[in-house]
Amino acid sequence: MLNNLESDSIFTPEQVLENRGRVAIFIDGSNLFYAALQLGIEIDYTKLLYRLTGGSRLLRSFFYTGVDRTNEKQQGFLLWMRRNGYRVIAKDLVQLPDGSKKANLDVEIAVDMMALVDSYDTAVLVSGDGDLAYAVNSVSYRGVRVEVVSLRSMTSDSLINVSDRYIDLEAIKEDIQKTPRQSYPYRPLSGIGFLEDPRTSDGHLEIQE
C-alpha cells in the first residue's frame, strides 16, 4: 500500500498544467544553442514554444542573444523569431582580448524576471547558468514557481537546487527538434550560433536538399 502511494503522483497532469497559471518563458539563446549542439539536434522554435507553454496561458516568451548587427542572416532569424511569438532581447557581441566574441545577458534575464514577477505565476528558465540561481531564488520567494529547462551536463547544481522543477532537454528533444525536411544549417559566429530564417521571401519554407 505504501509503495502504491509513493508511486502515485499528487497531481494529475491536467492539475499540474492548471496550477502553472500564467507562464513567462526566459530563454538563454547561447546556452540553448550549445545544448542543441551537444544533443546533435536543431531546435524548432515553434515546437519549443508550444512544449514550454504546455497548454498554459503564456504571458510572454523572451529570447536573449548576442548579435552581430551586420550579419543579415542573423537579423533574418531574429526577425522571424519576433514574428513568431518571441520577444527578442539582443546585445552586441564584445570582442575579448583572445579574439573571441561574447555577450553576457545574465543581468538582462535576471532584471526581467524580477520586473515582471507580479505578472506571472510560473517562470520557465531555459538555461543552465548558475549565475541565475540568485534571481531564481528571489522570484521564488515572491511566490513564483520556477521550472528550469536545460541539458543536465551543462546545468549548475545550484540552479537546480533553487528551482521547483527541472527538465532535462535530452528528455524532450524529440518534441522540440526539427524534422529532416525542415532542416536548415546553423550559422555560428565566434561562439554564438544562429539559425537561418527558415522561410524564403515569399513566406514558404526553404527545403535544404
Side-chain angles (χ1 to χ4, degrees):
M1 181 66 178
L2 181 59
N3 289 336
N4 289 337
L5 289 174
E6 290 178 344
S7 63
D8 289 341
S9 174
I10 297 175
F11 299 107
T12 65
E14 291 77 13
Q15 288 173 321
V16 171
L17 291 178
E18 181 180 350
N19 290 338
R20 294 175 86 212
R22 297 163 298 175
V23 173
I25 300 171
F26 304 89
I27 300 174
D28 180 338
S30 178
N31 195 277
L32 178 59
F33 167 70
Y34 284 117
L37 281 183
Q38 290 291 323
L39 290 171
I41 66 171
E42 294 178 42
I43 301 294
D44 182 319
Y45 284 89
T46 299
K47 290 181 180 179
L48 177 67
L49 188 60
Y50 179 81
R51 180 63 174 79
L52 297 180
T53 303
S56 299
R57 178 185 172 190
L58 178 64
L59 172 69
R60 187 158 290 164
S61 179
F62 297 93
F63 183 81
Y64 302 83
T65 186
V67 296
D68 176 354
R69 298 185 187 277
T70 65
N71 188 308
E72 293 183 2
K73 291 188 182 296
Q74 292 176 21
Q75 295 305 310
F77 166 63
L78 295 181
L79 178 60
W80 184 91
M81 292 286 280
R82 291 186 179 99
R83 293 178 176 178
N84 287 271
Y86 291 90
R87 176 66 59 87
V88 176
I89 293 86
K91 189 174 184 179
D92 290 340
L93 293 167
V94 176
Q95 186 160 342
L96 303 178
D98 63 1
S100 63
K101 293 183 179 181
K102 186 177 181 180
N104 193 321
L105 286 104
D106 290 349
V107 172
E108 286 79 1
I109 295 174
V111 168
D112 287 346
M113 289 183 74
M114 291 301 301
L116 293 170
V117 71
D118 293 326
S119 300
Y120 62 87
D121 304 296
T122 298
V124 179
L125 175 62
V126 183
S127 179
D129 194 339
D131 290 341
L132 293 168
Y134 188 83
V136 167
N137 203 36
S138 296
V139 298
S140 294
Y141 274 109
R142 296 288 296 274
V144 170
R145 169 189 169 91
V146 181
E147 301 175 2
V148 170
V149 182
S150 57
L151 188 61
R152 183 64 185 91
S153 62
M154 296 174 55
T155 307
S156 169
D157 288 340
S158 62
L159 191 57
I160 295 177
N161 292 342
V162 294
S163 68
D164 296 290
R165 183 187 184 197
Y166 171 73
I167 300 172
D168 191 339
L169 277 171
E170 186 162 14
I172 64 170
K173 68 178 183 179
E174 300 296 333
D175 298 331
I176 64 174
Q177 68 179 338
K178 284 186 169 293
T179 62
R181 282 183 57 81
Q182 293 175 304
S183 180
Y184 51 89
Y186 278 95
R187 305 294 296 184
L189 174 71
S190 301
I192 303 296
F194 297 89
L195 297 171
E196 294 184 22
D197 187 350
R199 299 188 181 277
T200 59
S201 58
D202 61 1
H204 292 89
L205 274 174
E206 181 179 2
I207 306 301
Q208 299 292 324
E209 299 297 340

